[in-house]
Amino acid sequence: MYTHQKKVITQGAPLAETQKALILVHGRGATAESILSLASPLGANDFTLFAPQATNHSWYPYSFMAPATQNQPALDSALETIDAIVKSILEQGLSSQQIYLAGFSQGACLTSEYATRHAQPYGGLFIFTGGLIGQQLDTSNYQGNFAGTPVLITTGDPDPHVPVSRVNETVKIMEEHGAMVSKHIYPGRPHTILQEEINLAKQILSKASVNK
């Protein structure tokens, strides 16, 4: 088992100029560089971008539906990796509402798990084919209030990795913590991100407010 080396690729103008951050979390077998390629289609070129790289190209070794203990210590280390980025952004004077998080597949699962454990008013969350992590969800892990944070969550039906039932559980818990969730299930969609999903996320990102 493994923990993650702290490797984060940043792109774009400094936070002092952009005043808005987008954290992009790659999927299993992928790279920080590959998830950064989403920035342009999302219309996020005027954001400061942060893309952490998972050790061994995987945030945790087994399925996100496996017992959480089987994915340790990698899972806790992955959550700490995201937390360190968020804290660094906040320390540079931005509010949580100027922080957006996006992930695909395993990265979407990690994004939803991190954000729901640290619920606060983010700018927006984009969960492209993912859901909360664990064989059984421990609701005591989830703290705080999203205070109306817009959340986009998507999956295919069926998806080889992410069952619709877990997406529905995730939506319920996030809504209980104050999120405004937009759920989109695509029948027969392959394990990918459709242009429609990009367009939905782009609508949320285009409303990014800059509090200078």
Side-chain angles (χ1 to χ4, degrees):
M1 300 297 273
Y2 55 89
T3 56
H4 296 282
Q5 298 173 339
K6 299 297 188 286
K7 181 186 174 187
V8 181
I9 298 177
T10 58
Q11 192 171 294
L15 282 172
E17 293 179 29
T18 66
Q19 293 288 295
K20 49 190 181 181
L22 174 60
I23 301 169
L24 294 156
V25 188
H26 70 75
R28 189 189 297 274
T31 63
E33 289 89 350
S34 67
I35 196 76
L36 278 168
S37 68
L38 270 182
S40 187
L42 286 170
N45 291 328
D46 57 344
F47 284 67
T48 306
L49 307 171
F50 299 84
Q53 175 64 54
T55 297
N56 301 333
H57 302 282
S58 180
W59 291 111
Y60 41 85
Y62 300 109
S63 164
F64 85 115
M65 300 285 287
T69 53
Q70 291 185 11
N71 278 316
Q72 298 297 6
L75 175 57
D76 279 353
S77 178
L79 291 165
E80 288 165 10
T81 297
I82 307 301
D83 194 47
I85 298 171
V86 170
K87 284 179 175 171
S88 168
I89 294 166
L90 294 173
E91 285 166 3
Q92 293 181 65
L94 273 68
S95 71
S96 61
Q97 289 168 295
Q98 293 164 285
I99 300 174
Y100 295 73
L101 295 100
F104 171 64
S105 192
Q106 192 189 54
C109 297
L110 185 61
T111 297
S112 64
E113 184 72 17
Y114 172 79
T116 313
R117 289 187 183 210
H118 302 270
Q120 54 192 315
Y122 297 99
L125 305 174
F126 310 107
I127 315 299
F128 295 118
T129 311
L132 293 169
I133 295 171
Q135 185 177 38
Q136 302 291 329
L137 296 181
D138 181 357
T139 55
S140 67
N141 285 332
Y142 306 124
Q143 307 291 330
N145 194 301
F146 285 114
T149 295
V151 177
L152 172 66
I153 186 167
T154 64
T155 195
D157 184 15
D159 182 87
H161 305 291
V162 180
V164 171
S165 59
R166 177 51 56 90
V167 170
N168 290 336
E169 283 183 277
T170 301
V171 170
K172 181 175 183 289
I173 289 171
M174 295 182 100
E175 287 181 339
E176 287 170 353
H177 286 266
M180 298 289 290
V181 183
S182 176
K183 178 183 74 174
H184 294 264
I185 309 296
Y186 298 95
R189 189 209 66 181
H191 192 70
T192 187
I193 303 175
L194 301 176
Q195 184 62 47
E196 181 183 327
E197 296 168 71
I198 294 289
N199 292 343
L200 291 166
K202 197 171 179 178
Q203 289 173 19
I204 296 171
L205 283 168
S206 69
K207 296 172 183 160
S209 59
V210 178
N211 301 322
K212 292 190 176 176

